[in-house]
Amino acid sequence: MSAIATTSPASQGMSAERLARIDRFLRERYVGPGKLPSAQIIVARHGQIVHQSVMGHAVLPNEPEGNGFSPRAMSDDTIVRIYSMTKPITSVAFMMLVEQGLVALEDPVHHHIPSWKDLGVYVGSGASIPGGAAGWVTRAPDAPMRMIDLLRHTSGLTYGFQMRSMVDAAYRKDKIEPFDHPGGLEGFVEQLGTVPLEFSPGTAFNYSVSTDVLGYLVQKISGQPLAEYLQQHILGPLGMVDTSFHVPEDKVDRQAQCYALANGGKLVPLPGRTFREPTHSPSGGGGLVGTAADYLRFCEMLRRGGELDGVRLLSPKTLWLMRQNHLPGGADLADVSKSLFSEATYHGIGFGLGFAMTTDVARTGIAGSMGEYWWGGAASTAFWVDPVEQISVVFMTQFMPSSLYPVRRELRTLVNAAVVDSLAN
């Protein structure tokens, strides 16, 4: 498996001087003042790296003793939590099964999860915070939930952290999440079926555990555990050697700590799971860890239409389908989203089968390209692929919440400003 080559920016129609602005910006705006613990960015054009930099600390010098993380600088091979950047990988895995004829986008989900056949839409409840099926008042959905609804987040499912409805309150109360579920992915899906949908599938967008359900379906339809399927069919073939659902013991000295802001603006370690223990309930929506170099290989596979280094995962036609706006009526995220957050606040943005894309450059307010597609993770990580300018970008840091700073929008502006030989003209 060959490494992605590095070349001069000028040879690929980009300005070295303008790319250097990215490093100054990140250092002066975010890393230097202590807003972010670290920053790593890789910019590739036409399949060759034209800019990469790394700064800050993977683990800050003031790290508390005894938590298993030792202070160290951020490096090229630092392993980070990519959280929701897991979603495009799981979506590709599912579409590989679609290509084999094992499942179709229009298949009702209950064909594979029979207990969901009579899943209703929330109308009301007799309790302030509902605790189970007995407390729900529901109605039948206008149409059954289909596989495409899981891919585009129009399923009617939600996340417990949304903090906006009685349904997500039930997710929190009953601890309905895929991470480390005692019943594994099957137990998670069965418990999820005890809570009604927020809306009728196909009528709105709501960022949700939909991709975790896809991960369960990949496992059930393929007959392989999700982690095994991803390793055999995506991670291994693409040479993503450091990407998995946990950091093995021989790599923990390369893992970054994840941080949040404490009172007074000081960065403090994020409590909770460290991703160092194997899990029997892998989250297809947010459970992977990996490196920037690994994720660039995934991006390059996407940019090249499903193939990298002679390994083909999907056909170009399937990738084209995934990159189209599948939101109801071709609407913008801003018009049909029930939950607005950092990755879904833009006008001129649609959502496909696993990631968002630009449908109207002018409405986004960002210098970009039609069809540019991307997604990000909860720890402020991000990637995007520009099929017009043939650019792939990966940005890594470890800071939550991702909604606090507009760094991802700012980086897209800075990268696109470095294109001096545009293929769009």
Side-chain angles (χ1 to χ4, degrees):
M1 191 71 65
S2 61
I4 295 176
T6 299
T7 190
S8 69
S11 70
Q12 301 303 320
M14 299 192 75
S15 165
E17 179 182 3
R18 285 170 171 256
L19 286 168
R21 294 175 179 173
I22 298 171
D23 298 353
R24 291 195 298 271
F25 175 83
L26 287 170
R27 186 174 291 109
E28 295 172 5
R29 180 73 62 88
Y30 289 108
V31 179
K35 293 180 178 179
L36 293 178
S38 60
Q40 181 182 6
I41 189 166
I42 308 179
V43 182
R45 195 176 196 198
H46 301 300
Q48 298 187 76
I49 296 172
V50 296
H51 182 80
Q52 56 183 327
S53 62
V54 59
M55 62 190 74
H57 287 83
V59 184
L60 292 171
N62 61 355
E63 186 74 15
E65 294 185 7
N67 65 357
F69 287 86
S70 300
R72 70 182 69 91
M74 190 77 167
S75 61
D76 291 340
D77 65 350
T78 295
I79 296 172
V80 302
R81 303 157 173 85
I82 67 171
Y83 287 114
S84 284
M85 283 168 60
T86 304
K87 288 179 170 68
I89 295 175
T90 301
S91 298
V92 164
F94 184 82
M95 293 305 293
M96 293 171 73
L97 299 177
V98 171
E99 283 197 335
Q100 296 171 50
L102 298 176
V103 64
L105 295 180
E106 292 305 307
D107 284 352
V109 173
H110 69 257
H111 283 185
H112 294 277
I113 309 177
S115 62
W116 284 23
K117 183 175 182 181
D118 298 318
L119 195 56
V121 177
Y122 175 78
V123 173
S125 173
S128 58
I129 299 180
W136 298 109
V137 178
T138 65
R139 66 172 179 85
D142 300 330
M145 184 195 305
R146 301 186 184 276
M147 298 299 178
I148 191 172
D149 292 313
L150 296 172
L151 285 155
R152 65 186 181 181
H153 293 279
T154 57
S155 62
L157 300 171
T158 189
Y159 267 126
F161 63 72
Q162 296 281 18
M163 302 287 188
R164 46 166 299 278
S165 73
M166 296 294 286
V167 176
D168 65 56
Y171 280 40
R172 294 191 300 277
K173 180 180 181 296
D174 294 341
K175 298 180 180 179
I176 303 177
E177 63 171 36
F179 288 104
D180 304 318
H181 195 285
L185 289 182
E186 184 172 0
F188 159 70
V189 167
E190 288 302 312
Q191 187 183 18
L192 195 58
T194 66
V195 180
L197 304 173
E198 283 204 340
F199 53 85
S200 192
T203 62
F205 174 98
N206 186 45
Y207 200 44
S208 71
V209 297
S210 289
T211 317
D212 291 291
V213 178
L214 276 182
Y216 165 74
L217 290 169
V218 167
Q219 181 170 283
K220 183 173 182 180
I221 294 168
S222 70
Q224 289 182 275
L226 177 61
E228 181 181 307
Y229 184 91
L230 293 186
Q231 179 60 40
Q232 180 177 339
H233 296 283
I234 297 179
L235 305 178
L238 290 183
M240 298 173 68
V241 296
D242 291 317
T243 303
S244 68
F245 283 105
H246 81 286
V247 182
E249 187 175 352
D250 61 346
K251 296 182 180 181
V252 295
D253 60 343
R254 291 165 47 201
Q255 185 187 6
Q257 177 64 284
C258 194
Y259 293 93
L261 280 184
N263 292 334
K266 181 181 178 181
L267 291 172
V268 296
L270 190 74
R273 73 177 52 82
T274 64
F275 288 82
R276 290 186 175 181
E277 298 295 330
T279 176
H280 66 285
S281 184
S283 168
L288 288 174
V289 297
T291 62
D294 273 9
Y295 212 89
L296 181 65
R297 297 191 67 81
F298 180 74
C299 291
E300 279 295 290
M301 177 277 296
L302 296 176
R303 184 190 65 83
R304 290 167 57 93
E307 174 273 336
L308 181 66
D309 288 345
V311 174
R312 179 164 294 283
L313 303 189
L314 293 172
S315 77
K317 297 293 286 185
T318 298
L319 255 300
W320 182 90
L321 178 66
M322 294 179 73
R323 295 192 291 108
Q324 305 309 299
N325 182 17
H326 288 270
L327 292 179
D332 283 2
L333 274 175
D335 296 328
V336 298
S337 179
K338 295 285 187 181
S339 54
L340 296 179
F341 53 98
S342 62
E343 286 102 342
T345 56
Y346 310 139
H347 293 281
I349 302 301
F351 203 89
L353 305 182
F355 27 67
M357 81 289 299
T358 298
T359 58
D360 188 325
V361 176
R363 294 194 72 203
T364 68
I366 302 175
S369 301
M370 283 288 291
E372 192 175 37
Y373 57 103
W374 71 91
W375 205 239
S380 302
T381 61
F383 84 92
W384 72 88
V385 176
D386 185 334
V388 175
E389 301 293 356
Q390 294 297 299
I391 290 173
S392 300
V393 180
V394 177
F395 173 69
M396 296 298 196
T397 186
Q398 291 287 267
F399 175 81
M400 295 179 73
S402 63
S403 58
L404 190 60
Y405 305 129
V407 61
R408 291 184 279 207
R409 286 179 63 96
E410 294 164 338
L411 287 174
R412 287 174 65 197
T413 296
L414 288 161
V415 170
N416 287 322
V419 176
V420 293
D421 183 9
S422 174
L423 300 177
N425 297 332

